[in-house]
Amino acid sequence: MTWTEMQPLLEQASWETLVMVGWSTLIAVAAGLPIGVLLVLTDKGGMLQNVVVNKVIGQIVNLGRSMPFIILMVALMGFTRWLTGTTIGSEAAIVPLAIGGIPFFARLVETAVREVDGGLVEAVQSMGGNTWTIVRKVLVPEALPSLISSTTTTVIALIGYSAMAGTVGGGGLGDLAVRVGYQRFETGMMWITVALLAVVISLIQFAGDFAARSLHRRGGRSGPAPRLRLLKAKEPGAADVSKAA
């Protein structure tokens, strides 16, 4: 197979992989972020401590993470067909990819949020900050570098999942490598696909590491001190106390 014949196949497969990984990452991040934060808040000693809720959510997340992706795809075929009308193609593959990515990202979020300095949380609580204020102004901003790294890890994992989805008709680079490279004995196509995946993963890892380091050097989104001063300025009666002094 010549490069002229390979090029359109590679372009189409790359686009399918981009669509699958892009949409599944957005869904996984949107759903996994609140789940991961909730696991921290409902844990023992958390601001919304609830052992039952924490255990139930934790077990669901553990079940989702422990299930091999190929088995998850088969188990969700009925749901995928009901949602998308088909079980093959890149659109159908988004469903198991997103559902598999949610618990994976949620655990990474939980780990990232637990690393936030408890002193900042206590300081905001002492100023009258409620749970939503603490999550929005302390937990998420302070954990942002780690959350960026977690997102990078999730994207790379989903690329691997998407290649696996290609083996059962999900489309993308994995499907191209198996259907054309392996089954038709086009070893050149298979190795080009492997090399392309390696380059893409390396670029994503580099971009994620660069963004995380940049945010870490800046101390999160805007640094803890300005946020605490802002909250303190809004505390009721603070102006009267300063005038009396």
Side-chain angles (χ1 to χ4, degrees), residues 33 36-38 40-41 46-47 109-110 112-118 120-122 124 130-147 220-221 227:
L33 179 60
V37 173
L38 190 61
V40 177
L41 296 178
M47 288 171 285
V109 170
E110 180 189 13
V113 172
R114 287 190 188 280
E115 294 175 354
V116 176
D117 186 3
L120 290 174
V121 176
E122 294 175 0
V124 177
N130 56 25
T131 302
W132 170 243
T133 300
I134 292 171
V135 170
R136 186 167 56 91
K137 290 187 174 292
V138 179
L139 294 182
V140 173
E142 291 299 320
L144 196 55
S146 295
L147 292 177
R221 184 171 59 184
R227 285 197 298 273

PDB file of all heavy atoms in Angstrom, residues 33 36-38 40-41 46-47 109-110 112-118 120-122 124 130-147 220-221 227:
ATOM      1  N   LEU A  33     -15.725  15.428  37.809  1.00  0.00           N
ATOM      2  CA  LEU A  33     -15.289  16.471  38.739  1.00  0.00           C
ATOM      3  C   LEU A  33     -16.208  16.590  39.946  1.00  0.00           C
ATOM      4  O   LEU A  33     -15.739  16.522  41.093  1.00  0.00           O
ATOM      5  CB  LEU A  33     -15.166  17.803  38.005  1.00  0.00           C
ATOM      6  CG  LEU A  33     -14.729  19.010  38.843  1.00  0.00           C
ATOM      7  CD1 LEU A  33     -13.352  18.764  39.454  1.00  0.00           C
ATOM      8  CD2 LEU A  33     -14.718  20.276  37.999  1.00  0.00           C
ATOM      9  N   GLY A  36     -15.873  13.428  42.172  1.00  0.00           N
ATOM     10  CA  GLY A  36     -14.639  13.394  42.954  1.00  0.00           C
ATOM     11  C   GLY A  36     -14.671  14.354  44.124  1.00  0.00           C
ATOM     12  O   GLY A  36     -14.242  14.022  45.243  1.00  0.00           O
ATOM     13  N   VAL A  37     -15.198  15.563  43.910  1.00  0.00           N
ATOM     14  CA  VAL A  37     -15.311  16.534  45.009  1.00  0.00           C
ATOM     15  C   VAL A  37     -16.279  16.023  46.059  1.00  0.00           C
ATOM     16  O   VAL A  37     -16.041  16.154  47.270  1.00  0.00           O
ATOM     17  CB  VAL A  37     -15.763  17.902  44.461  1.00  0.00           C
ATOM     18  CG1 VAL A  37     -16.055  18.868  45.605  1.00  0.00           C
ATOM     19  CG2 VAL A  37     -14.694  18.490  43.542  1.00  0.00           C
ATOM     20  N   LEU A  38     -17.381  15.420  45.618  1.00  0.00           N
ATOM     21  CA  LEU A  38     -18.374  14.891  46.561  1.00  0.00           C
ATOM     22  C   LEU A  38     -17.792  13.764  47.409  1.00  0.00           C
ATOM     23  O   LEU A  38     -18.132  13.634  48.600  1.00  0.00           O
ATOM     24  CB  LEU A  38     -19.595  14.398  45.791  1.00  0.00           C
ATOM     25  CG  LEU A  38     -20.832  14.040  46.619  1.00  0.00           C
ATOM     26  CD1 LEU A  38     -21.334  15.263  47.382  1.00  0.00           C
ATOM     27  CD2 LEU A  38     -21.935  13.485  45.727  1.00  0.00           C
ATOM     28  N   VAL A  40     -14.826  13.625  48.523  1.00  0.00           N
ATOM     29  CA  VAL A  40     -14.046  14.274  49.584  1.00  0.00           C
ATOM     30  C   VAL A  40     -14.962  14.920  50.616  1.00  0.00           C
ATOM     31  O   VAL A  40     -14.756  14.781  51.826  1.00  0.00           O
ATOM     32  CB  VAL A  40     -13.100  15.335  48.976  1.00  0.00           C
ATOM     33  CG1 VAL A  40     -12.343  16.075  50.079  1.00  0.00           C
ATOM     34  CG2 VAL A  40     -12.114  14.682  48.026  1.00  0.00           C
ATOM     35  N   LEU A  41     -15.996  15.613  50.158  1.00  0.00           N
ATOM     36  CA  LEU A  41     -16.883  16.336  51.070  1.00  0.00           C
ATOM     37  C   LEU A  41     -17.674  15.402  51.978  1.00  0.00           C
ATOM     38  O   LEU A  41     -17.954  15.738  53.130  1.00  0.00           O
ATOM     39  CB  LEU A  41     -17.842  17.217  50.282  1.00  0.00           C
ATOM     40  CG  LEU A  41     -17.235  18.351  49.454  1.00  0.00           C
ATOM     41  CD1 LEU A  41     -18.323  19.102  48.695  1.00  0.00           C
ATOM     42  CD2 LEU A  41     -16.451  19.312  50.344  1.00  0.00           C
ATOM     43  N   GLY A  46     -15.360  15.358  56.535  1.00  0.00           N
ATOM     44  CA  GLY A  46     -15.645  16.304  55.476  1.00  0.00           C
ATOM     45  C   GLY A  46     -16.751  17.267  55.856  1.00  0.00           C
ATOM     46  O   GLY A  46     -17.472  17.077  56.840  1.00  0.00           O
ATOM     47  N   MET A  47     -16.917  18.304  55.053  1.00  0.00           N
ATOM     48  CA  MET A  47     -17.913  19.329  55.342  1.00  0.00           C
ATOM     49  C   MET A  47     -19.339  18.825  55.183  1.00  0.00           C
ATOM     50  O   MET A  47     -20.263  19.368  55.777  1.00  0.00           O
ATOM     51  CB  MET A  47     -17.669  20.546  54.441  1.00  0.00           C
ATOM     52  CG  MET A  47     -16.431  21.340  54.812  1.00  0.00           C
ATOM     53  SD  MET A  47     -16.044  22.611  53.583  1.00  0.00           S
ATOM     54  CE  MET A  47     -15.369  21.598  52.264  1.00  0.00           C
ATOM     55  N   VAL A 109      -9.615  13.126  40.649  1.00  0.00           N
ATOM     56  CA  VAL A 109     -10.072  14.378  41.247  1.00  0.00           C
ATOM     57  C   VAL A 109     -10.057  14.267  42.765  1.00  0.00           C
ATOM     58  O   VAL A 109      -9.621  15.199  43.464  1.00  0.00           O
ATOM     59  CB  VAL A 109     -11.491  14.727  40.752  1.00  0.00           C
ATOM     60  CG1 VAL A 109     -12.068  15.897  41.544  1.00  0.00           C
ATOM     61  CG2 VAL A 109     -11.461  15.063  39.273  1.00  0.00           C
ATOM     62  N   GLU A 110     -10.534  13.161  43.281  1.00  0.00           N
ATOM     63  CA  GLU A 110     -10.536  12.966  44.734  1.00  0.00           C
ATOM     64  C   GLU A 110      -9.129  13.092  45.305  1.00  0.00           C
ATOM     65  O   GLU A 110      -8.903  13.771  46.318  1.00  0.00           O
ATOM     66  CB  GLU A 110     -11.118  11.586  45.065  1.00  0.00           C
ATOM     67  CG  GLU A 110     -11.159  11.300  46.563  1.00  0.00           C
ATOM     68  CD  GLU A 110     -11.533   9.872  46.871  1.00  0.00           C
ATOM     69  OE1 GLU A 110     -11.525   9.028  45.946  1.00  0.00           O
ATOM     70  OE2 GLU A 110     -11.813   9.580  48.049  1.00  0.00           O
ATOM     71  N   ALA A 112      -6.565  14.663  43.989  1.00  0.00           N
ATOM     72  CA  ALA A 112      -6.090  16.037  43.824  1.00  0.00           C
ATOM     73  C   ALA A 112      -6.679  16.964  44.877  1.00  0.00           C
ATOM     74  O   ALA A 112      -5.974  17.800  45.454  1.00  0.00           O
ATOM     75  CB  ALA A 112      -6.431  16.537  42.419  1.00  0.00           C
ATOM     76  N   VAL A 113      -7.966  16.832  45.145  1.00  0.00           N
ATOM     77  CA  VAL A 113      -8.629  17.719  46.101  1.00  0.00           C
ATOM     78  C   VAL A 113      -8.146  17.437  47.531  1.00  0.00           C
ATOM     79  O   VAL A 113      -8.026  18.361  48.348  1.00  0.00           O
ATOM     80  CB  VAL A 113     -10.159  17.561  45.989  1.00  0.00           C
ATOM     81  CG1 VAL A 113     -10.869  18.326  47.108  1.00  0.00           C
ATOM     82  CG2 VAL A 113     -10.643  18.058  44.635  1.00  0.00           C
ATOM     83  N   ARG A 114      -7.852  16.192  47.835  1.00  0.00           N
ATOM     84  CA  ARG A 114      -7.364  15.865  49.184  1.00  0.00           C
ATOM     85  C   ARG A 114      -6.002  16.497  49.472  1.00  0.00           C
ATOM     86  O   ARG A 114      -5.615  16.640  50.633  1.00  0.00           O
ATOM     87  CB  ARG A 114      -7.266  14.346  49.348  1.00  0.00           C
ATOM     88  CG  ARG A 114      -8.600  13.648  49.466  1.00  0.00           C
ATOM     89  CD  ARG A 114      -8.436  12.202  49.862  1.00  0.00           C
ATOM     90  NE  ARG A 114      -9.681  11.481  49.801  1.00  0.00           N
ATOM     91  CZ  ARG A 114     -10.627  11.514  50.737  1.00  0.00           C
ATOM     92  NH1 ARG A 114     -10.438  12.249  51.816  1.00  0.00           N
ATOM     93  NH2 ARG A 114     -11.740  10.817  50.588  1.00  0.00           N
ATOM     94  N   GLU A 115      -5.261  16.849  48.436  1.00  0.00           N
ATOM     95  CA  GLU A 115      -3.944  17.446  48.624  1.00  0.00           C
ATOM     96  C   GLU A 115      -4.004  18.933  48.983  1.00  0.00           C
ATOM     97  O   GLU A 115      -2.988  19.526  49.327  1.00  0.00           O
ATOM     98  CB  GLU A 115      -3.116  17.273  47.349  1.00  0.00           C
ATOM     99  CG  GLU A 115      -2.778  15.816  47.020  1.00  0.00           C
ATOM    100  CD  GLU A 115      -2.068  15.676  45.698  1.00  0.00           C
ATOM    101  OE1 GLU A 115      -1.952  16.698  44.984  1.00  0.00           O
ATOM    102  OE2 GLU A 115      -1.633  14.551  45.362  1.00  0.00           O
ATOM    103  N   VAL A 116      -5.184  19.540  48.902  1.00  0.00           N
ATOM    104  CA  VAL A 116      -5.319  20.962  49.231  1.00  0.00           C
ATOM    105  C   VAL A 116      -5.082  21.173  50.714  1.00  0.00           C
ATOM    106  O   VAL A 116      -5.562  20.404  51.562  1.00  0.00           O
ATOM    107  CB  VAL A 116      -6.716  21.475  48.825  1.00  0.00           C
ATOM    108  CG1 VAL A 116      -6.913  22.928  49.259  1.00  0.00           C
ATOM    109  CG2 VAL A 116      -6.910  21.345  47.316  1.00  0.00           C
ATOM    110  N   ASP A 117      -4.343  22.222  51.043  1.00  0.00           N
ATOM    111  CA  ASP A 117      -4.009  22.534  52.436  1.00  0.00           C
ATOM    112  C   ASP A 117      -5.278  22.762  53.256  1.00  0.00           C
ATOM    113  O   ASP A 117      -6.101  23.626  52.924  1.00  0.00           O
ATOM    114  CB  ASP A 117      -3.130  23.793  52.472  1.00  0.00           C
ATOM    115  CG  ASP A 117      -2.612  24.098  53.863  1.00  0.00           C
ATOM    116  OD1 ASP A 117      -2.884  23.314  54.797  1.00  0.00           O
ATOM    117  OD2 ASP A 117      -1.935  25.132  54.029  1.00  0.00           O
ATOM    118  N   GLY A 118      -5.440  21.966  54.310  1.00  0.00           N
ATOM    119  CA  GLY A 118      -6.614  22.108  55.167  1.00  0.00           C
ATOM    120  C   GLY A 118      -6.673  23.440  55.882  1.00  0.00           C
ATOM    121  O   GLY A 118      -7.757  23.893  56.264  1.00  0.00           O
ATOM    122  N   LEU A 120      -6.239  26.384  54.600  1.00  0.00           N
ATOM    123  CA  LEU A 120      -6.999  27.323  53.775  1.00  0.00           C
ATOM    124  C   LEU A 120      -8.496  27.106  53.950  1.00  0.00           C
ATOM    125  O   LEU A 120      -9.266  28.069  54.037  1.00  0.00           O
ATOM    126  CB  LEU A 120      -6.618  27.156  52.307  1.00  0.00           C
ATOM    127  CG  LEU A 120      -5.208  27.610  51.903  1.00  0.00           C
ATOM    128  CD1 LEU A 120      -4.945  27.241  50.452  1.00  0.00           C
ATOM    129  CD2 LEU A 120      -5.042  29.104  52.111  1.00  0.00           C
ATOM    130  N   VAL A 121      -8.904  25.850  54.021  1.00  0.00           N
ATOM    131  CA  VAL A 121     -10.320  25.536  54.214  1.00  0.00           C
ATOM    132  C   VAL A 121     -10.799  26.059  55.558  1.00  0.00           C
ATOM    133  O   VAL A 121     -11.862  26.684  55.671  1.00  0.00           O
ATOM    134  CB  VAL A 121     -10.559  24.021  54.101  1.00  0.00           C
ATOM    135  CG1 VAL A 121     -12.017  23.682  54.398  1.00  0.00           C
ATOM    136  CG2 VAL A 121     -10.169  23.517  52.718  1.00  0.00           C
ATOM    137  N   GLU A 122     -10.010  25.816  56.595  1.00  0.00           N
ATOM    138  CA  GLU A 122     -10.388  26.283  57.926  1.00  0.00           C
ATOM    139  C   GLU A 122     -10.446  27.802  57.984  1.00  0.00           C
ATOM    140  O   GLU A 122     -11.316  28.377  58.661  1.00  0.00           O
ATOM    141  CB  GLU A 122      -9.399  25.751  58.956  1.00  0.00           C
ATOM    142  CG  GLU A 122      -9.445  24.235  59.121  1.00  0.00           C
ATOM    143  CD  GLU A 122      -8.360  23.723  60.058  1.00  0.00           C
ATOM    144  OE1 GLU A 122      -7.581  24.569  60.560  1.00  0.00           O
ATOM    145  OE2 GLU A 122      -8.302  22.504  60.275  1.00  0.00           O
ATOM    146  N   VAL A 124     -11.230  29.891  55.537  1.00  0.00           N
ATOM    147  CA  VAL A 124     -12.450  30.354  54.874  1.00  0.00           C
ATOM    148  C   VAL A 124     -13.674  30.021  55.717  1.00  0.00           C
ATOM    149  O   VAL A 124     -14.621  30.817  55.807  1.00  0.00           O
ATOM    150  CB  VAL A 124     -12.560  29.738  53.469  1.00  0.00           C
ATOM    151  CG1 VAL A 124     -13.868  30.141  52.793  1.00  0.00           C
ATOM    152  CG2 VAL A 124     -11.386  30.170  52.610  1.00  0.00           C
ATOM    153  N   ASN A 130     -19.418  29.270  53.139  1.00  0.00           N
ATOM    154  CA  ASN A 130     -20.179  28.026  53.102  1.00  0.00           C
ATOM    155  C   ASN A 130     -19.468  26.984  52.237  1.00  0.00           C
ATOM    156  O   ASN A 130     -18.394  27.244  51.684  1.00  0.00           O
ATOM    157  CB  ASN A 130     -21.605  28.273  52.594  1.00  0.00           C
ATOM    158  CG  ASN A 130     -21.630  28.938  51.228  1.00  0.00           C
ATOM    159  OD1 ASN A 130     -20.682  28.813  50.449  1.00  0.00           O
ATOM    160  ND2 ASN A 130     -22.709  29.648  50.930  1.00  0.00           N
ATOM    161  N   THR A 131     -20.103  25.830  52.104  1.00  0.00           N
ATOM    162  CA  THR A 131     -19.466  24.727  51.375  1.00  0.00           C
ATOM    163  C   THR A 131     -19.224  25.094  49.907  1.00  0.00           C
ATOM    164  O   THR A 131     -18.153  24.822  49.370  1.00  0.00           O
ATOM    165  CB  THR A 131     -20.349  23.468  51.453  1.00  0.00           C
ATOM    166  OG1 THR A 131     -20.549  23.120  52.829  1.00  0.00           O
ATOM    167  CG2 THR A 131     -19.686  22.302  50.727  1.00  0.00           C
ATOM    168  N   TRP A 132     -20.211  25.717  49.260  1.00  0.00           N
ATOM    169  CA  TRP A 132     -20.062  26.079  47.854  1.00  0.00           C
ATOM    170  C   TRP A 132     -18.925  27.079  47.673  1.00  0.00           C
ATOM    171  O   TRP A 132     -18.151  26.994  46.717  1.00  0.00           O
ATOM    172  CB  TRP A 132     -21.368  26.645  47.325  1.00  0.00           C
ATOM    173  CG  TRP A 132     -21.260  27.252  45.965  1.00  0.00           C
ATOM    174  CD1 TRP A 132     -21.473  28.545  45.624  1.00  0.00           C
ATOM    175  CD2 TRP A 132     -20.893  26.583  44.748  1.00  0.00           C
ATOM    176  NE1 TRP A 132     -21.269  28.740  44.283  1.00  0.00           N
ATOM    177  CE2 TRP A 132     -20.916  27.556  43.712  1.00  0.00           C
ATOM    178  CE3 TRP A 132     -20.557  25.267  44.427  1.00  0.00           C
ATOM    179  CZ2 TRP A 132     -20.612  27.246  42.389  1.00  0.00           C
ATOM    180  CZ3 TRP A 132     -20.246  24.966  43.106  1.00  0.00           C
ATOM    181  CH2 TRP A 132     -20.279  25.937  42.110  1.00  0.00           C
ATOM    182  N   THR A 133     -18.809  28.035  48.597  1.00  0.00           N
ATOM    183  CA  THR A 133     -17.725  29.019  48.512  1.00  0.00           C
ATOM    184  C   THR A 133     -16.374  28.347  48.652  1.00  0.00           C
ATOM    185  O   THR A 133     -15.425  28.674  47.920  1.00  0.00           O
ATOM    186  CB  THR A 133     -17.895  30.082  49.614  1.00  0.00           C
ATOM    187  OG1 THR A 133     -19.149  30.743  49.440  1.00  0.00           O
ATOM    188  CG2 THR A 133     -16.772  31.112  49.551  1.00  0.00           C
ATOM    189  N   ILE A 134     -16.275  27.400  49.557  1.00  0.00           N
ATOM    190  CA  ILE A 134     -15.009  26.702  49.782  1.00  0.00           C
ATOM    191  C   ILE A 134     -14.630  25.879  48.555  1.00  0.00           C
ATOM    192  O   ILE A 134     -13.470  25.868  48.122  1.00  0.00           O
ATOM    193  CB  ILE A 134     -15.109  25.817  51.036  1.00  0.00           C
ATOM    194  CG1 ILE A 134     -15.215  26.699  52.279  1.00  0.00           C
ATOM    195  CG2 ILE A 134     -13.895  24.889  51.145  1.00  0.00           C
ATOM    196  CD1 ILE A 134     -15.521  25.946  53.546  1.00  0.00           C
ATOM    197  N   VAL A 135     -15.608  25.196  47.976  1.00  0.00           N
ATOM    198  CA  VAL A 135     -15.331  24.397  46.777  1.00  0.00           C
ATOM    199  C   VAL A 135     -14.899  25.295  45.622  1.00  0.00           C
ATOM    200  O   VAL A 135     -13.916  25.022  44.924  1.00  0.00           O
ATOM    201  CB  VAL A 135     -16.571  23.575  46.383  1.00  0.00           C
ATOM    202  CG1 VAL A 135     -16.377  22.929  45.011  1.00  0.00           C
ATOM    203  CG2 VAL A 135     -16.854  22.509  47.429  1.00  0.00           C
ATOM    204  N   ARG A 136     -15.625  26.399  45.436  1.00  0.00           N
ATOM    205  CA  ARG A 136     -15.396  27.266  44.277  1.00  0.00           C
ATOM    206  C   ARG A 136     -14.155  28.129  44.416  1.00  0.00           C
ATOM    207  O   ARG A 136     -13.451  28.389  43.436  1.00  0.00           O
ATOM    208  CB  ARG A 136     -16.625  28.159  44.064  1.00  0.00           C
ATOM    209  CG  ARG A 136     -16.590  29.009  42.815  1.00  0.00           C
ATOM    210  CD  ARG A 136     -17.962  29.599  42.545  1.00  0.00           C
ATOM    211  NE  ARG A 136     -18.445  30.366  43.679  1.00  0.00           N
ATOM    212  CZ  ARG A 136     -18.235  31.675  43.849  1.00  0.00           C
ATOM    213  NH1 ARG A 136     -17.537  32.339  42.944  1.00  0.00           N
ATOM    214  NH2 ARG A 136     -18.716  32.295  44.891  1.00  0.00           N
ATOM    215  N   LYS A 137     -13.842  28.581  45.631  1.00  0.00           N
ATOM    216  CA  LYS A 137     -12.745  29.529  45.801  1.00  0.00           C
ATOM    217  C   LYS A 137     -11.479  28.919  46.401  1.00  0.00           C
ATOM    218  O   LYS A 137     -10.431  29.571  46.383  1.00  0.00           O
ATOM    219  CB  LYS A 137     -13.200  30.702  46.679  1.00  0.00           C
ATOM    220  CG  LYS A 137     -14.202  31.617  45.988  1.00  0.00           C
ATOM    221  CD  LYS A 137     -14.491  32.845  46.829  1.00  0.00           C
ATOM    222  CE  LYS A 137     -15.378  33.831  46.074  1.00  0.00           C
ATOM    223  NZ  LYS A 137     -14.687  34.442  44.930  1.00  0.00           N
ATOM    224  N   VAL A 138     -11.580  27.709  46.936  1.00  0.00           N
ATOM    225  CA  VAL A 138     -10.396  27.100  47.571  1.00  0.00           C
ATOM    226  C   VAL A 138     -10.065  25.747  46.952  1.00  0.00           C
ATOM    227  O   VAL A 138      -8.993  25.579  46.369  1.00  0.00           O
ATOM    228  CB  VAL A 138     -10.590  26.956  49.100  1.00  0.00           C
ATOM    229  CG1 VAL A 138      -9.360  26.294  49.722  1.00  0.00           C
ATOM    230  CG2 VAL A 138     -10.840  28.307  49.739  1.00  0.00           C
ATOM    231  N   LEU A 139     -10.976  24.789  47.054  1.00  0.00           N
ATOM    232  CA  LEU A 139     -10.640  23.415  46.678  1.00  0.00           C
ATOM    233  C   LEU A 139     -10.289  23.281  45.196  1.00  0.00           C
ATOM    234  O   LEU A 139      -9.227  22.759  44.852  1.00  0.00           O
ATOM    235  CB  LEU A 139     -11.810  22.485  47.030  1.00  0.00           C
ATOM    236  CG  LEU A 139     -12.119  22.320  48.518  1.00  0.00           C
ATOM    237  CD1 LEU A 139     -13.268  21.347  48.716  1.00  0.00           C
ATOM    238  CD2 LEU A 139     -10.891  21.846  49.288  1.00  0.00           C
ATOM    239  N   VAL A 140     -11.182  23.751  44.327  1.00  0.00           N
ATOM    240  CA  VAL A 140     -10.928  23.602  42.891  1.00  0.00           C
ATOM    241  C   VAL A 140      -9.759  24.468  42.418  1.00  0.00           C
ATOM    242  O   VAL A 140      -8.855  23.974  41.727  1.00  0.00           O
ATOM    243  CB  VAL A 140     -12.200  23.899  42.075  1.00  0.00           C
ATOM    244  CG1 VAL A 140     -11.898  23.915  40.580  1.00  0.00           C
ATOM    245  CG2 VAL A 140     -13.272  22.855  42.376  1.00  0.00           C
ATOM    246  N   PRO A 141      -9.692  25.780  42.768  1.00  0.00           N
ATOM    247  CA  PRO A 141      -8.550  26.587  42.308  1.00  0.00           C
ATOM    248  C   PRO A 141      -7.209  26.080  42.818  1.00  0.00           C
ATOM    249  O   PRO A 141      -6.226  26.062  42.073  1.00  0.00           O
ATOM    250  CB  PRO A 141      -8.856  27.987  42.860  1.00  0.00           C
ATOM    251  CG  PRO A 141     -10.333  28.014  43.016  1.00  0.00           C
ATOM    252  CD  PRO A 141     -10.708  26.633  43.437  1.00  0.00           C
ATOM    253  N   GLU A 142      -7.137  25.668  44.094  1.00  0.00           N
ATOM    254  CA  GLU A 142      -5.870  25.205  44.642  1.00  0.00           C
ATOM    255  C   GLU A 142      -5.452  23.853  44.061  1.00  0.00           C
ATOM    256  O   GLU A 142      -4.267  23.549  43.979  1.00  0.00           O
ATOM    257  CB  GLU A 142      -5.957  25.097  46.175  1.00  0.00           C
ATOM    258  CG  GLU A 142      -6.067  26.428  46.879  1.00  0.00           C
ATOM    259  CD  GLU A 142      -4.869  27.313  46.622  1.00  0.00           C
ATOM    260  OE1 GLU A 142      -3.742  26.799  46.609  1.00  0.00           O
ATOM    261  OE2 GLU A 142      -5.055  28.525  46.424  1.00  0.00           O
ATOM    262  N   ALA A 143      -6.432  23.047  43.683  1.00  0.00           N
ATOM    263  CA  ALA A 143      -6.126  21.732  43.103  1.00  0.00           C
ATOM    264  C   ALA A 143      -5.991  21.781  41.592  1.00  0.00           C
ATOM    265  O   ALA A 143      -5.752  20.744  40.959  1.00  0.00           O
ATOM    266  CB  ALA A 143      -7.217  20.732  43.489  1.00  0.00           C
ATOM    267  N   LEU A 144      -6.103  22.973  40.992  1.00  0.00           N
ATOM    268  CA  LEU A 144      -6.139  23.084  39.538  1.00  0.00           C
ATOM    269  C   LEU A 144      -4.929  22.482  38.832  1.00  0.00           C
ATOM    270  O   LEU A 144      -5.095  21.785  37.822  1.00  0.00           O
ATOM    271  CB  LEU A 144      -6.323  24.552  39.138  1.00  0.00           C
ATOM    272  CG  LEU A 144      -6.756  24.805  37.689  1.00  0.00           C
ATOM    273  CD1 LEU A 144      -8.039  24.048  37.366  1.00  0.00           C
ATOM    274  CD2 LEU A 144      -6.947  26.293  37.449  1.00  0.00           C
ATOM    275  N   PRO A 145      -3.686  22.710  39.288  1.00  0.00           N
ATOM    276  CA  PRO A 145      -2.555  22.044  38.610  1.00  0.00           C
ATOM    277  C   PRO A 145      -2.678  20.526  38.592  1.00  0.00           C
ATOM    278  O   PRO A 145      -2.421  19.884  37.562  1.00  0.00           O
ATOM    279  CB  PRO A 145      -1.340  22.506  39.431  1.00  0.00           C
ATOM    280  CG  PRO A 145      -1.763  23.795  40.047  1.00  0.00           C
ATOM    281  CD  PRO A 145      -3.219  23.623  40.354  1.00  0.00           C
ATOM    282  N   SER A 146      -3.090  19.961  39.723  1.00  0.00           N
ATOM    283  CA  SER A 146      -3.272  18.508  39.779  1.00  0.00           C
ATOM    284  C   SER A 146      -4.446  18.067  38.917  1.00  0.00           C
ATOM    285  O   SER A 146      -4.412  16.988  38.318  1.00  0.00           O
ATOM    286  CB  SER A 146      -3.494  18.058  41.227  1.00  0.00           C
ATOM    287  OG  SER A 146      -2.347  18.305  42.013  1.00  0.00           O
ATOM    288  N   LEU A 147      -5.479  18.888  38.839  1.00  0.00           N
ATOM    289  CA  LEU A 147      -6.631  18.552  37.993  1.00  0.00           C
ATOM    290  C   LEU A 147      -6.246  18.560  36.515  1.00  0.00           C
ATOM    291  O   LEU A 147      -6.750  17.742  35.742  1.00  0.00           O
ATOM    292  CB  LEU A 147      -7.775  19.533  38.251  1.00  0.00           C
ATOM    293  CG  LEU A 147      -8.440  19.451  39.631  1.00  0.00           C
ATOM    294  CD1 LEU A 147      -9.505  20.526  39.777  1.00  0.00           C
ATOM    295  CD2 LEU A 147      -9.047  18.069  39.852  1.00  0.00           C
ATOM    296  N   GLY A 220      -1.705  28.212  41.615  1.00  0.00           N
ATOM    297  CA  GLY A 220      -3.110  27.993  41.305  1.00  0.00           C
ATOM    298  C   GLY A 220      -3.590  29.071  40.368  1.00  0.00           C
ATOM    299  O   GLY A 220      -2.833  29.695  39.649  1.00  0.00           O
ATOM    300  N   ARG A 221      -4.886  29.365  40.450  1.00  0.00           N
ATOM    301  CA  ARG A 221      -5.461  30.310  39.509  1.00  0.00           C
ATOM    302  C   ARG A 221      -5.071  31.743  39.857  1.00  0.00           C
ATOM    303  O   ARG A 221      -4.733  32.524  38.998  1.00  0.00           O
ATOM    304  CB  ARG A 221      -6.998  30.174  39.515  1.00  0.00           C
ATOM    305  CG  ARG A 221      -7.676  31.062  38.500  1.00  0.00           C
ATOM    306  CD  ARG A 221      -9.134  30.733  38.398  1.00  0.00           C
ATOM    307  NE  ARG A 221      -9.802  30.903  39.677  1.00  0.00           N
ATOM    308  CZ  ARG A 221     -11.071  30.604  39.882  1.00  0.00           C
ATOM    309  NH1 ARG A 221     -11.794  30.087  38.908  1.00  0.00           N
ATOM    310  NH2 ARG A 221     -11.624  30.792  41.061  1.00  0.00           N
ATOM    311  N   ARG A 227      -7.528  35.641  47.536  1.00  0.00           N
ATOM    312  CA  ARG A 227      -8.864  35.092  47.761  1.00  0.00           C
ATOM    313  C   ARG A 227      -9.277  35.270  49.208  1.00  0.00           C
ATOM    314  O   ARG A 227     -10.405  35.614  49.503  1.00  0.00           O
ATOM    315  CB  ARG A 227      -8.891  33.603  47.374  1.00  0.00           C
ATOM    316  CG  ARG A 227      -8.901  33.358  45.885  1.00  0.00           C
ATOM    317  CD  ARG A 227      -9.329  31.940  45.590  1.00  0.00           C
ATOM    318  NE  ARG A 227      -8.390  30.982  46.161  1.00  0.00           N
ATOM    319  CZ  ARG A 227      -7.306  30.574  45.542  1.00  0.00           C
ATOM    320  NH1 ARG A 227      -6.997  31.056  44.364  1.00  0.00           N
ATOM    321  NH2 ARG A 227      -6.504  29.701  46.096  1.00  0.00           N
TER     322      ARG A 227
END
